[in-house]
Amino acid sequence: VFREADAHVGGDGKIRVLESVDGKVWNSVALVDENGIDLRDPHVSITTDGRLMLVMGGSIYKGTKTLVGRQPRVSFSKDARNWTAPQRVASDGDWLWRVTWHDGQAYGVGYQTNDSPERFATLFRSPDGKHYEVVVERLFDSGYPNETSLVFTADNTCYCLLRRDAGSK
């Protein structure tokens, strides 16, 4: 999955879904979009019931450069071709980067994208990929924490790889 649009920033981002049976030849099988929303930063996972789940950001622009809001979206598919309409999750201003499924729950780290000087990340959990609750707020609160990946081990330890874009990084 990847974003395609006329520009890096703007209001026309759509999510392209490709498929391959051999890793050499790839075919486009779907295009996920939402009218008036710049969909971006897609990540795919497999839900506990075997569906594909897209987590993506949804930005709203006034014109082509003025950001007026953003909120994560999710979309689901049984066959990679037909996707549910993107549904808003978490809160306006959160950016849920990706989710990892563990013991029947979706876990993901969201970070604040508003203009506040206070930057932090929050660990979220969801039983269905749609309804999220806060597990730990202010998980990382320095260096502008943002993009993350979570990995769970067999003993239920969770490791987080996190990008920082300020201070010492």
Side-chain angles (χ1 to χ4, degrees), residues 4-5 15 22 28 39 52 54-55 61 72-73 76 79 83 88 100-101 106 112-114 116 142:
E4 57 182 50
I15 306 305
D22 61 9
S28 175
L39 297 177
L52 295 171
L54 279 175
V55 174
Y61 290 92
R73 285 359 189 219
F76 299 88
D79 62 6
W83 292 85
R88 289 186 286 184
T100 299
W101 291 85
Q112 299 298 303
T113 60
N114 56 30
S116 169
S142 65

Side-chain angles (χ1 to χ4, degrees), residues 71-102:
Q71 188 169 355
R73 285 359 189 219
V74 294
S75 185
F76 299 88
S77 176
K78 293 180 181 178
D79 62 6
R81 289 161 176 71
N82 300 293
W83 292 85
T84 61
Q87 175 181 340
R88 289 186 286 184
V89 296
S91 300
D92 185 43
D94 283 329
W95 201 264
L96 183 62
W97 186 249
R98 76 175 74 228
V99 301
T100 299
W101 291 85
H102 177 71

